[in-house]
């Protein structure tokens, strides 16, 4: 199972959505709800313990609809989080987008997004420097 430095959000780790054994040296997450949901998100997190830090994750993902999203989240609470994610546009093409909930105000980049073409493996990252957050 996960080490003590990792936690999940409102959902205990269980084999129906989280696996460290399906694929050697990989964490596999199965779909849950988005970060704005109060029940059932598939989110594994690590507490930030320094004013400056960086996080990276490589993901493999093939969304088929706009309702399928996967990525990395800078999560403070239900009212403040930032989500860099891969989803599908209206034609089913994979795009990279950002969604945010800043003190309760939700913004989603529905019209924009970076087209990913045939890419199915992507390295996402974020840098935190005090109150400044930058996705990459």
């Amino acid at each position: 199972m996960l080490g003590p430095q990792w936690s999940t959000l409102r959902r205990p780790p269980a084999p129906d959505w989280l696996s460290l054994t399906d694929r050697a040296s990989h964490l596999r997450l199965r779909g849950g709800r988005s970060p704005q949901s109060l029940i059932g998100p598939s989110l594994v997190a690590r507490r930030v313990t320094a004013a400056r830090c960086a996080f990276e994750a490589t993901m493999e993902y093939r969304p088929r609809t706009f309702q399928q999203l996967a990525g990395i989240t800078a999560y403070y609470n239900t009212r403040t989080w930032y989500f860099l994610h891969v989803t599908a546009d209206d034609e089913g093409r994979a795009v990279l987008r950002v969604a945010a909930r800043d003190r309760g105000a939700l913004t989603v980049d529905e019209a924009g997004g970076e087209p990913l073409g045939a890419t199915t493996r992507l390295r996402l990252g974020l840098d935190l420097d005090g109150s400044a957050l930058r996705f990459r």
Side-chain angles (χ1 to χ4, degrees):
M1 221 2 87
L2 296 170
Q5 71 274 28
W6 297 99
S7 32
T8 59
L9 180 65
R10 292 186 212 94
R11 190 176 182 191
D16 65 324
W17 72 275
L18 182 149
S19 173
L20 290 166
T21 58
D22 284 356
R23 186 168 169 197
S25 74
H26 288 76
L27 170 64
R28 177 169 287 167
L29 300 178
R30 289 184 180 78
R33 301 199 185 227
S34 77
Q36 85 180 20
S37 175
L38 296 179
I39 49 173
S42 293
L43 189 131
V44 174
R46 186 168 180 163
R47 182 176 300 275
V48 171
T49 58
R52 295 183 71 187
C53 62
F55 175 80
E56 291 184 340
T58 299
M59 60 178 266
E60 294 177 5
Y61 186 62
R62 293 173 198 86
R64 291 183 294 278
T65 74
F66 70 94
Q67 292 177 311
Q68 296 176 330
L69 308 99
I72 60 174
T73 307
Y75 189 91
Y76 182 72
N77 62 24
T78 56
R79 295 182 46 79
T80 304
W81 48 261
Y82 303 88
F83 183 32
L84 177 65
H85 61 278
V86 176
T87 188
D89 65 12
D90 290 338
E91 286 78 41
R93 297 176 300 223
V95 292
L96 184 65
R97 290 196 174 140
V98 175
R101 188 164 200 145
D102 189 349
R103 291 168 285 195
L106 179 66
T107 56
V108 180
D109 178 19
E110 295 290 347
E114 184 67 28
L116 297 176
T119 302
T120 58
R121 184 178 172 92
L122 191 61
R123 186 157 192 84
L124 303 177
L126 67 82
D127 298 308
L128 184 62
D129 187 0
S131 62
L133 170 70
R134 182 176 62 91
F135 281 120
R136 50 186 164 76

